[in-house]
Amino acid sequence: MEALVINGGMPLHGSVPISGAKNAVLPILAATVLHGGKYVLCNCPDIADVRTAVEILQTLGAQVTRVGDVLSVDTRDLCGYMIPGRLMLQMRASVLFLGPLLARHGRAVLTLPGGCPLGHRPIDLHLQTMSQLGAAVTLVEEQIRCHGPVLHGGTVCFPFPSVGATENAIMAAVACHGSVTIHNAAKEPEICDLAAFLQAMGAEIKGVGTHTLYITGGMPLHDADYTIMPDRIETATYLCAAAACGGEVTLQGAHSDHLIPVIQTLRQAGCTIEEQDGITIRSDAVLTSVEEIETAPYPGFPTDAQAPVMAALLRARGKTRFSETVFEQRFAHVPQLRRFGADIRLSGAAAVVSGVETLVPARTEACDLRAAAALVIAALQTQGESRIFGLKHLDRGYDNPERKLSSLGASIRRAQ
Ligand code: UD1
């Protein structure tokens, strides 16, 4: 079985480029369905989720080619409106094609999406939004059918600022006959990136970066070129690796203003972080525990960074409490981290890490994307050989992590 073989215990030194954001490129690829046109998207990470999104576009009839980090997408002949269950199951973000397909063809047929097992992950807010904008929506035996030849304007009010539902609402709203106001919208940087791409296509969206969005539907759309923002969770992951292993690492192209709570946490733990020309972190690998970390929608502490930060603090002096408020089951990495000798006590939606002197090498299997990153960070802190299995999770969201970590001096290779 394929595994990452890691011989830890070395500090990290050097500089790595941060790839384009997974959570921005996925909705942007879905948005290319809205208008039959040609798009050039730069800084697209080469990760499994992007390959899945490209396969969905191709299945629907689009032409997509990749040269380096540039994806050229031609959706002029896209005529499909059904996404096969096989592709829907590969990632939750497949559901982001719902709004664009409905807007383009007046109908969409999908199955319930897959994705990381983070507890109950309904898509009720996505479906309610489509109904509120005038579509007839049915869900029978895991098949979703939406029919709405004419979407009208209106008001959408989310009980919780869901990232994906906000993105689907924005994309459907762009094609509505009338204006749409979205209350309690999510305001993650990736949503701003999607909005900027849609604006480059001619859409009129106001309130970007706030909890209330105003969209003038029906504006004529056109072709667009766009550069995807840097991935803030990949950035957080490399910051955590450097914090835990020690050394000095520069993350080229990283935006520190997207990661304020993570940077504050790592500074509190004892790292020095400079926010100029990317982000540079210095650490002596002797960390201290921090105040309680509670995940929350942006600009709060990102739930996607919870597992990597936990892995970075496994040897920090003292106790650190993590509270998870976004997903109901996001501590699946805890039993795997304990295999490295970590002392973590779980109690409901909280986990308390008591720093240990040393971690020991382990053979572990990743169970979701960010858990996989946490296991790599734990392994990098041990003296001796660790093996991480379950790489399909890591590969969904990290562009060539073994090349990037090797370039920083880590001993890490992929083996069968
Ligand atoms: C997105 C990100 C994911 C991140 C998450 C939270 C992408 C591709 N993925 O996922 O990396 O961890 O935001 O920052 O951008 N919910 C409902 N009903 C819905 C939709 C969501 O109850 O219809 C709930 C979810 O179960 C969860 C919470 O809302 O408890 C947050 O989910 P949401 O913000 O929608 O996350 P995703 O868009 O799935």
Side-chain angles (χ1 to χ4, degrees):
M1 214 192 328
E2 198 180 43
L4 276 182
V5 181
I6 297 174
N7 273 281
M10 255 104 65
L12 303 178
H13 283 280
S15 179
V16 281
I18 291 301
S19 299
K22 169 179 94 68
N23 290 351
V25 70
L26 296 175
I28 286 173
L29 284 169
T32 65
V33 169
L34 281 168
H35 157 77
K38 292 170 84 170
Y39 305 89
V40 178
L41 303 176
C42 301
N43 205 26
C44 294
D46 191 5
I47 53 176
D49 276 9
V50 168
R51 289 192 283 276
T52 301
V54 166
E55 209 181 328
I56 290 174
L57 282 169
Q58 289 168 332
T59 304
L60 294 169
Q63 308 283 322
V64 188
T65 51
R66 179 188 271 275
V67 179
D69 70 1
V70 179
L71 282 178
S72 299
V73 182
D74 182 344
T75 56
R76 285 174 300 176
D77 295 332
L78 184 145
C79 54
Y81 60 91
M82 296 175 77
I83 303 182
R86 175 182 66 82
L87 294 172
M88 289 300 299
L89 280 177
Q90 284 183 26
M91 60 172 184
R92 182 170 163 89
S94 306
V95 78
L96 297 175
F97 283 86
L98 175 64
L101 282 174
L102 192 58
R104 172 91 177 259
H105 299 307
R107 55 186 172 165
V109 179
L110 296 75
T111 56
L112 288 177
C116 286
L118 308 179
H120 185 49
R121 295 182 79 183
I123 56 161
D124 53 326
L125 302 178
H126 299 250
L127 301 183
Q128 277 164 23
T129 301
M130 300 309 141
S131 330
Q132 277 166 326
L133 298 179
V137 180
T138 55
L139 172 57
V140 180
E141 289 178 2
E142 307 220 331
Q143 191 177 65
I144 304 156
R145 290 183 166 268
C146 285
H147 187 253
V150 181
L151 297 179
H152 53 66
T155 299
V156 173
C157 190
F158 289 122
F160 179 90
S162 155
V163 172
T166 300
E167 291 166 343
N168 245 331
I170 298 172
M171 292 189 280
V174 158
C176 280
H177 293 241
S179 299
V180 177
T181 303
I182 306 174
H183 292 291
N184 205 19
K187 54 178 190 173
E188 269 64 3
E190 294 79 11
I191 291 176
C192 302
D193 218 38
L194 168 66
F197 174 65
L198 291 168
Q199 286 164 337
M201 288 172 70
E204 206 173 289
I205 307 170
K206 297 214 170 79
V208 175
T210 74
H211 282 307
T212 310
L213 297 171
Y214 306 94
I215 297 140
T216 308
M219 297 298 286
L221 300 178
H222 49 73
D223 299 359
D225 297 348
Y226 196 73
T227 300
I228 308 296
M229 64 175 273
D231 195 309
R232 66 193 166 105
I233 306 302
E234 188 197 32
T235 305
T237 303
Y238 286 105
L239 285 175
C240 288
C245 296
E248 178 172 335
V249 170
T250 298
L251 305 173
Q252 301 156 21
H255 284 185
S256 58
D257 48 344
H258 293 163
L259 267 181
I260 290 168
V262 173
I263 289 175
Q264 274 172 352
T265 297
L266 295 177
R267 279 189 177 135
Q268 210 189 338
C271 303
T272 304
I273 299 179
E274 279 168 23
E275 306 171 36
Q276 233 180 355
D277 301 330
I279 305 179
T280 299
I281 180 166
R282 263 176 240 107
S283 165
D284 58 8
V286 180
L287 303 181
T288 53
S289 58
V290 298
E291 280 166 16
E292 176 164 356
I293 292 173
E294 184 173 286
T295 64
Y298 191 82
F301 193 97
T303 173
D304 286 349
Q306 181 251 108
V309 170
M310 185 182 290
L313 295 178
L314 295 177
R315 292 183 303 125
R317 272 191 307 257
K319 288 182 194 295
T320 304
R321 183 184 160 89
F322 293 79
S323 295
E324 176 59 50
T325 71
V326 179
F327 290 108
E328 59 178 19
Q329 278 172 30
R330 207 161 196 187
F331 287 126
H333 44 284
V334 166
Q336 301 294 325
L337 289 174
R338 285 190 188 128
R339 297 171 79 106
F340 291 94
D343 180 349
I344 311 170
R345 198 166 42 81
L346 268 181
S347 156
V352 178
V353 174
S354 301
V356 292
E357 279 291 309
T358 49
L359 296 171
V360 293
R363 290 167 73 91
T364 56
E365 178 151 6
C367 47
D368 68 60
L369 168 56
R370 304 306 168 186
L375 299 185
V376 171
I377 293 166
L380 286 170
Q381 299 174 63
T382 68
Q383 303 274 355
E385 185 180 288
S386 293
R387 282 185 180 243
I388 316 277
F389 299 91
L391 298 187
K392 67 173 189 197
H393 297 291
L394 189 72
D395 293 339
R396 283 191 43 213
Y398 290 92
D399 191 339
N400 216 329
E402 59 268 36
R403 179 169 46 79
K404 290 189 183 183
L405 284 166
S406 298
S407 78
L408 296 175
S411 167
I412 176 169
R413 66 185 166 84
R414 209 170 270 249
Q416 288 304 321

